[in-house]
Each structure stands twice: as structure tokens, then as C-alpha cells.
């Protein structure tokens, strides 16, 4: 299943210049049905003016994580979020390594629901 989800991630990278530019260093670590873990080392170009991981990029990571969790349930046609919410508890800096743990909690006919947690790998 990890290979299947990695393949979906590669297709997303190839089809989106934004993902390719902003998230090319994100890798799929493991996947099971409804659950995906990714890893990413924070790079200089991913920081805001305070030298922490940019909030807009965090939203993109949440979007990608949720999409990959949905893909891990066997859905190849993943779409666009209708609602995205984030709570920021701490920050990440350049060279920090983050883990992105995503879970697809429900799939209906037209809508899927996912939860994504981003945390420092060292924690």
C-alpha cells in the first residue's frame, strides 16, 4: 500500500507546479488502509519572515496529507478540500524534521473526511 500511495504522491507532484516547488522534499514513510505517515525536512524556502514553517505551506501539507489518506483507502480520484482548519501549537524551523500523520476517518458518496497531525519527529 505504501507504494500505491507513493505513486499517487508522485502524480500529484507531476501535475502541480506548486507541490513540486513547495513540497518536493515530502516523502511517504508508510501507509495502511486509511492512514498515511509522511516525513519532511524543513528547508529555507519553506519559512516565513520569522524563520518558522510558513502557515500557508502548513495548509498545503494538510491538504496533501488528507488526500494521501483518502488515496490509501483505494480512491485514485482525490479532490479539493471543502473545509480546512488548523490549530498551531508550536513552530518548526529550518532543518527540523516533521512527521505528517494523516487519517481518512470517513468517506461518503461525494465527500471524504480526514484528520492530519503535523509534529516534530524529535518529539
Amino acid at each position: 500500500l505504501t507504494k500505491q500511495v507513493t505513486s499517487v504522491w508522485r502524480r500529484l507532484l507531476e501535475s502541480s507546479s506548486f507541490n513540486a516547488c513547495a513540497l518536493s522534499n515530502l516523502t511517504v514513510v508508510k501507509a495502511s488502509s486509511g492512514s498515511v505517515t509522511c516525513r519532511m525536512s524543513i528547508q529555507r524556502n519553506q519559512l516565513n519572515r520569522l524563520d518558522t514553517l510558513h502557515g500557508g505551506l502548513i495548509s498545503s501539507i494538510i491538504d496533501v496529507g488528507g488526500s494521501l489518506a483518502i488515496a490509501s483507502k483505494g480512491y485514485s480520484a482525490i479532490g479539493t478540500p471543502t473545509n480546512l482548519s488548523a490549530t498551531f501549537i508550536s513552530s518548526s524551523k529550518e532543518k527540523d524534521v516533521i512527521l505528517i500523520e494523516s487519517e481518512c476517518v470517513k468517506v461518503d458518496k461525494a465527500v471524504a473526511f480526514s484528520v492530519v497531525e503535523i509534529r516534530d519527529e524529535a518529539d
Side-chain angles (χ1 to χ4, degrees):
L1 196 51
T2 301
K3 285 183 181 182
Q4 176 186 337
V5 173
T6 299
S7 174
V8 170
W9 174 231
R10 283 193 196 118
R11 284 198 315 270
L12 287 173
L13 282 174
E14 292 166 2
S15 67
S16 167
S17 58
F18 179 79
N19 284 338
C21 176
L23 298 172
S24 62
N25 58 326
L26 185 143
T27 57
V28 177
V29 176
K30 66 180 176 178
S32 59
S33 181
S35 178
V36 175
T37 300
C38 297
R39 182 179 189 271
M40 188 173 89
S41 178
I42 308 302
Q43 298 175 347
R44 180 87 187 129
N45 67 330
Q46 297 169 321
L47 304 178
N48 60 23
R49 64 182 176 79
L50 300 175
D51 288 332
T52 61
L53 185 59
H54 194 284
L57 189 69
I58 292 169
S59 293
S60 294
I61 292 168
I62 293 168
D63 176 24
V64 165
S67 294
L68 295 178
I70 293 164
S72 75
K73 298 280 274 184
Y75 296 93
S76 59
I78 47 181
T80 304
T82 57
N83 186 20
L84 189 145
S85 162
T87 302
F88 301 95
I89 297 172
S90 64
S91 59
S92 296
K93 298 186 181 283
E94 185 176 7
K95 298 183 182 175
D96 285 353
V97 177
I98 58 172
L99 291 178
I100 301 103
E101 297 179 342
S102 309
E103 180 183 0
C104 178
V105 293
K106 184 176 181 183
V107 179
D108 285 338
K109 283 185 175 184
V111 179
F113 301 88
S114 60
V115 175
V116 179
E117 180 180 340
I118 302 170
R119 61 181 175 81
D120 193 300
E121 185 178 54
D123 291 343

